[in-house]
Amino acid sequence: MKSKQKINVIDMTYVNRSVRKDVDSDFITYLRHFISNELILKLIDDYCLGVTHSGDVIFFEIDIDGRCRTGKIMKYNPETGHRVKDEAMPFKINWVHSELKKTGELPPSWNVTQCLFGEHLLRKYPDKKVALVEAEKTAVICAAYMPEYIWLATGGKSQLNDRVKVLAGREVIAFPDLDAMDEWSKRAASYPEIGIKISRLLLERTNPSERNSGRDLADWIIEWTTNSTKEKKL
């Protein structure tokens, strides 16, 4: 019989001291261009959005049992919302567990077991439908505009995997990036017990040239927002 994988976790103290409503990350500064302060505070609270001393955002991965698995540390341009990639980092992304290993606060033997970004919200909102996207940024922005769903992120195109098993029993609709439609359709079919529906919204709302760009749902929402004649923030 296969033994159950051990799950290493990070003390929530690190999360609590990183989630601040009095200091903006560059990502939050960007959101302020089109989202109201009241809603931003709710997003910070719901998603436990952290901030580093240098203004990077921390997308903590907290599972359905309230355990912090890790946190993805990302740099954003506060004006454009585009990622700022650090060429000194081989994978262009830093992680909380990696930083804690460097300082000796986690042992070298500590291994990460990831979960869906936003997974902890499944318990907070037991009756909401689930919407699945690739990027954490997309999940947060979509949560602002379509709060009737719990917006969760896999963290990457290839990361629609066994992490989604936690969604069994929930109604789930996935919004793949335009360049991931086929891959996500195949991956979702591997979990018939969940019955993940694949949305074609982006395909229906974009033109052929845009479909080769890899745009995601947040790109479309932001474009719609900035081109809107409405003057009030959401």
Side-chain angles (χ1 to χ4, degrees), residues 10 38 45 58 66 86 171 230:
I10 293 171
E38 181 181 3
D45 184 56
I58 307 175
D86 188 346
E171 187 172 345
K230 297 178 182 179

Side-chain angles (χ1 to χ4, degrees), residues 57-87:
V57 66
I58 307 175
F59 295 118
F60 284 106
E61 293 182 9
I62 302 172
D63 66 24
I64 194 170
D65 294 316
R67 302 173 298 182
C68 181
R69 304 290 190 87
T70 188
K72 185 184 289 186
I73 304 170
M74 301 180 75
K75 297 177 181 293
Y76 284 92
N77 182 303
E79 294 302 317
T80 66
H82 295 153
R83 281 221 8 236
V84 178
K85 298 182 180 181
D86 188 346
E87 297 301 324

Side-chain angles (χ1 to χ4, degrees), residues 66-212:
R67 302 173 298 182
C68 181
R69 304 290 190 87
T70 188
K72 185 184 289 186
I73 304 170
M74 301 180 75
K75 297 177 181 293
Y76 284 92
N77 182 303
E79 294 302 317
T80 66
H82 295 153
R83 281 221 8 236
V84 178
K85 298 182 180 181
D86 188 346
E87 297 301 324
M89 293 162 45
F91 300 104
K92 316 304 183 194
I93 293 173
N94 201 1
W95 297 91
V96 169
H97 67 273
S98 297
E99 290 300 303
L100 293 178
K101 281 187 174 183
K102 290 177 184 177
T103 60
E105 294 170 88
L106 287 179
S109 60
W110 195 98
N111 291 315
V112 65
T113 306
Q114 289 185 256
C115 66
L116 296 171
F117 170 71
E119 184 180 305
H120 61 287
L121 296 175
L122 293 170
R123 283 201 171 177
K124 185 172 184 177
Y125 302 111
D127 299 321
K128 283 188 178 184
K129 297 177 183 178
V130 173
L132 198 61
V133 294
E134 177 180 331
E136 296 86 354
K137 170 188 171 181
T138 305
V140 173
I141 292 172
C142 288
Y145 286 87
M146 290 175 274
E148 64 271 25
Y149 294 99
I150 301 174
W151 290 88
L152 308 181
T154 63
K157 185 194 302 186
S158 63
Q159 300 307 307
L160 200 163
N161 51 30
D162 282 358
R163 296 175 205 173
V164 302
K165 288 183 176 181
V166 73
L167 303 178
R170 305 292 291 245
E171 187 172 345
V172 183
I173 183 167
F175 294 86
D177 293 2
L178 282 172
D179 62 354
M181 287 286 177
D182 291 340
E183 181 172 345
W184 270 37
S185 295
K186 292 176 183 177
R187 286 178 177 271
S190 301
Y191 300 94
E193 71 279 10
I194 300 174
I196 302 171
K197 298 175 183 177
I198 301 294
S199 172
R200 297 181 62 82
L201 176 65
L202 277 178
L203 286 175
E204 295 168 356
R205 300 296 179 91
T206 53
N207 59 50
S209 63
E210 291 173 323
R211 289 170 196 158
N212 296 320

Side-chain angles (χ1 to χ4, degrees), residues 202-227:
L202 277 178
L203 286 175
E204 295 168 356
R205 300 296 179 91
T206 53
N207 59 50
S209 63
E210 291 173 323
R211 289 170 196 158
N212 296 320
S213 66
R215 298 179 81 206
D216 63 22
L217 190 57
D219 295 326
W220 180 78
I221 287 175
I222 294 167
E223 183 177 305
W224 174 84
T225 302
T226 55
N227 291 337

